[in-house]
Amino acid sequence: MGALDSILLELAKNSMNNLVVAEGDHVGEDGLLYCGKCNTPRQKRIEIGGQSVVVGCICRCEVEKREREEAAKKEEQQRQIIEYRREKCISDPAYRRLNFAADNGSCPKAVEAARWYSENFGQLKAENKGLMFMGTVGTGKTFASCCIANELIDRGYDVWLTTMLPLLRSAGNFSQCDSVFERIQRVDLLVLDDFGTTKNSERNMELLFEIVDARARSGKPLIITTNLIPAQLKDPADLSLARIYDRVIAMCSCERSPVVLNGNSIRGQIARGKHRAP
Ligand SMILES: [Zn+2]
């Protein structure tokens, strides 16, 4: 018997020593041990160095159990990757939990439009068609836009959902602006929450124009939520604002846009106390 055969024989002995007989296991007509649950062999005969040796093997239910565990492990890893990406895509933790599963039916029009947009995103992205949610505080426009963002993140898209104030702050920061504008152009979907609420200082309007312009040049869709009313958006008093708003209206041009919302307040149901990112 060669050295390799000796090693194999040793392994075979170990496989038998490690075999724990479970309740219901039984010896079949062939003299091998069978699993009491799935009735398939837990032992088999192999040839080592010319002699027949019985070794342990795994039965069918054990194979299936290991496959299930492997699949569950992969799924968990996948889930962790998505959650890690969600943290990058949505800076406000409260917004990460606003998804279709959290819908309580209080803003059906907003949610219906969000579902439609998510379901058709592949085509809408190819056609560069964005969406606008208009309405006063508490009409579900932020909830709806978060539903779209979270759904698309689940599906592996790169999304950036941000409120205006932190975006303007980082876009106006010398050390951050390059990466901010690179990201504005890169992501599959940009969602600007609370558009039109920031102070219309000259600096802010300059930045806002640069942001909107950069996104327009990327050829990728934009979603905004705003509490401006259609008349304010179409005919602002200020010429620089008109230039920005015209651009946004042209970008948010899918057939459902704008989704104009009125109705009962759902504020408080979403992210109470942490409605706006710092
Ligand atoms: Zn079994």
Side-chain angles (χ1 to χ4, degrees), residues 35-40 42 59-62:
C35 171
K37 286 184 222 153
C38 67
N39 243 337
T40 62
R42 298 192 61 205
C59 65
R60 196 183 61 216
C61 70
E62 184 62 25

PDB file of all heavy atoms in Angstrom, residues 35-40 42 59-62, ligand 1:
ATOM      1  N   CYS A  35     -30.032   7.254   6.537  1.00  0.00           N
ATOM      2  CA  CYS A  35     -30.622   8.348   7.326  1.00  0.00           C
ATOM      3  C   CYS A  35     -32.089   8.037   7.634  1.00  0.00           C
ATOM      4  O   CYS A  35     -32.839   7.603   6.760  1.00  0.00           O
ATOM      5  CB  CYS A  35     -30.530   9.664   6.540  1.00  0.00           C
ATOM      6  SG  CYS A  35     -31.440  11.035   7.282  1.00  0.00           S
ATOM      7  N   GLY A  36     -32.466   8.271   8.901  1.00  0.00           N
ATOM      8  CA  GLY A  36     -33.839   8.011   9.317  1.00  0.00           C
ATOM      9  C   GLY A  36     -34.825   9.006   8.754  1.00  0.00           C
ATOM     10  O   GLY A  36     -36.031   8.757   8.714  1.00  0.00           O
ATOM     11  N   LYS A  37     -34.320  10.171   8.290  1.00  0.00           N
ATOM     12  CA  LYS A  37     -35.242  11.194   7.778  1.00  0.00           C
ATOM     13  C   LYS A  37     -35.461  11.055   6.277  1.00  0.00           C
ATOM     14  O   LYS A  37     -36.583  11.098   5.799  1.00  0.00           O
ATOM     15  CB  LYS A  37     -34.679  12.597   8.074  1.00  0.00           C
ATOM     16  CG  LYS A  37     -34.795  13.003   9.525  1.00  0.00           C
ATOM     17  CD  LYS A  37     -34.293  14.446   9.708  1.00  0.00           C
ATOM     18  CE  LYS A  37     -33.442  14.556  10.983  1.00  0.00           C
ATOM     19  NZ  LYS A  37     -32.459  15.629  10.905  1.00  0.00           N
ATOM     20  N   CYS A  38     -34.373  10.932   5.525  1.00  0.00           N
ATOM     21  CA  CYS A  38     -34.514  10.985   4.061  1.00  0.00           C
ATOM     22  C   CYS A  38     -34.287   9.620   3.406  1.00  0.00           C
ATOM     23  O   CYS A  38     -34.445   9.482   2.192  1.00  0.00           O
ATOM     24  CB  CYS A  38     -33.561  12.008   3.455  1.00  0.00           C
ATOM     25  SG  CYS A  38     -31.835  11.569   3.617  1.00  0.00           S
ATOM     26  N   ASN A  39     -33.903   8.631   4.236  1.00  0.00           N
ATOM     27  CA  ASN A  39     -33.748   7.267   3.725  1.00  0.00           C
ATOM     28  C   ASN A  39     -32.681   7.117   2.633  1.00  0.00           C
ATOM     29  O   ASN A  39     -32.787   6.221   1.804  1.00  0.00           O
ATOM     30  CB  ASN A  39     -35.081   6.751   3.177  1.00  0.00           C
ATOM     31  CG  ASN A  39     -35.542   5.552   3.985  1.00  0.00           C
ATOM     32  OD1 ASN A  39     -34.714   4.880   4.620  1.00  0.00           O
ATOM     33  ND2 ASN A  39     -36.827   5.281   3.967  1.00  0.00           N
ATOM     34  N   THR A  40     -31.724   8.006   2.610  1.00  0.00           N
ATOM     35  CA  THR A  40     -30.604   7.825   1.672  1.00  0.00           C
ATOM     36  C   THR A  40     -29.348   7.537   2.499  1.00  0.00           C
ATOM     37  O   THR A  40     -29.293   7.859   3.687  1.00  0.00           O
ATOM     38  CB  THR A  40     -30.393   9.076   0.789  1.00  0.00           C
ATOM     39  OG1 THR A  40     -30.072  10.199   1.625  1.00  0.00           O
ATOM     40  CG2 THR A  40     -31.636   9.395  -0.038  1.00  0.00           C
ATOM     41  N   ARG A  42     -25.904   7.148   4.518  1.00  0.00           N
ATOM     42  CA  ARG A  42     -24.955   8.018   5.219  1.00  0.00           C
ATOM     43  C   ARG A  42     -23.554   7.397   5.189  1.00  0.00           C
ATOM     44  O   ARG A  42     -22.640   7.894   5.825  1.00  0.00           O
ATOM     45  CB  ARG A  42     -25.415   8.230   6.665  1.00  0.00           C
ATOM     46  CG  ARG A  42     -26.775   8.935   6.770  1.00  0.00           C
ATOM     47  CD  ARG A  42     -27.045   9.387   8.195  1.00  0.00           C
ATOM     48  NE  ARG A  42     -26.023  10.329   8.614  1.00  0.00           N
ATOM     49  CZ  ARG A  42     -25.686  10.547   9.887  1.00  0.00           C
ATOM     50  NH1 ARG A  42     -26.299   9.885  10.844  1.00  0.00           N
ATOM     51  NH2 ARG A  42     -24.748  11.411  10.190  1.00  0.00           N
ATOM     52  N   CYS A  59     -26.029  12.409   3.558  1.00  0.00           N
ATOM     53  CA  CYS A  59     -27.302  11.976   2.978  1.00  0.00           C
ATOM     54  C   CYS A  59     -27.967  13.149   2.271  1.00  0.00           C
ATOM     55  O   CYS A  59     -27.499  14.286   2.359  1.00  0.00           O
ATOM     56  CB  CYS A  59     -28.205  11.421   4.074  1.00  0.00           C
ATOM     57  SG  CYS A  59     -28.660  12.686   5.264  1.00  0.00           S
ATOM     58  N   ARG A  60     -29.093  12.882   1.605  1.00  0.00           N
ATOM     59  CA  ARG A  60     -29.727  13.920   0.798  1.00  0.00           C
ATOM     60  C   ARG A  60     -30.217  15.110   1.647  1.00  0.00           C
ATOM     61  O   ARG A  60     -30.012  16.267   1.297  1.00  0.00           O
ATOM     62  CB  ARG A  60     -30.901  13.328   0.012  1.00  0.00           C
ATOM     63  CG  ARG A  60     -31.354  14.247  -1.117  1.00  0.00           C
ATOM     64  CD  ARG A  60     -32.557  13.684  -1.837  1.00  0.00           C
ATOM     65  NE  ARG A  60     -33.675  13.546  -0.920  1.00  0.00           N
ATOM     66  CZ  ARG A  60     -34.557  12.551  -0.957  1.00  0.00           C
ATOM     67  NH1 ARG A  60     -34.444  11.601  -1.863  1.00  0.00           N
ATOM     68  NH2 ARG A  60     -35.551  12.494  -0.092  1.00  0.00           N
ATOM     69  N   CYS A  61     -30.828  14.801   2.807  1.00  0.00           N
ATOM     70  CA  CYS A  61     -31.366  15.934   3.587  1.00  0.00           C
ATOM     71  C   CYS A  61     -30.232  16.782   4.153  1.00  0.00           C
ATOM     72  O   CYS A  61     -30.383  17.985   4.334  1.00  0.00           O
ATOM     73  CB  CYS A  61     -32.353  15.472   4.661  1.00  0.00           C
ATOM     74  SG  CYS A  61     -31.657  14.570   6.037  1.00  0.00           S
ATOM     75  N   GLU A  62     -29.075  16.156   4.395  1.00  0.00           N
ATOM     76  CA  GLU A  62     -27.928  16.928   4.878  1.00  0.00           C
ATOM     77  C   GLU A  62     -27.385  17.826   3.752  1.00  0.00           C
ATOM     78  O   GLU A  62     -27.040  18.991   3.986  1.00  0.00           O
ATOM     79  CB  GLU A  62     -26.844  15.958   5.371  1.00  0.00           C
ATOM     80  CG  GLU A  62     -25.628  16.620   5.994  1.00  0.00           C
ATOM     81  CD  GLU A  62     -25.919  17.442   7.242  1.00  0.00           C
ATOM     82  OE1 GLU A  62     -26.921  17.163   7.924  1.00  0.00           O
ATOM     83  OE2 GLU A  62     -25.147  18.385   7.501  1.00  0.00           O
TER      84      GLU A  62
HETATM   85 ZN    ZN B   1     -30.986  12.508   5.618  1.00  0.00          ZN
END
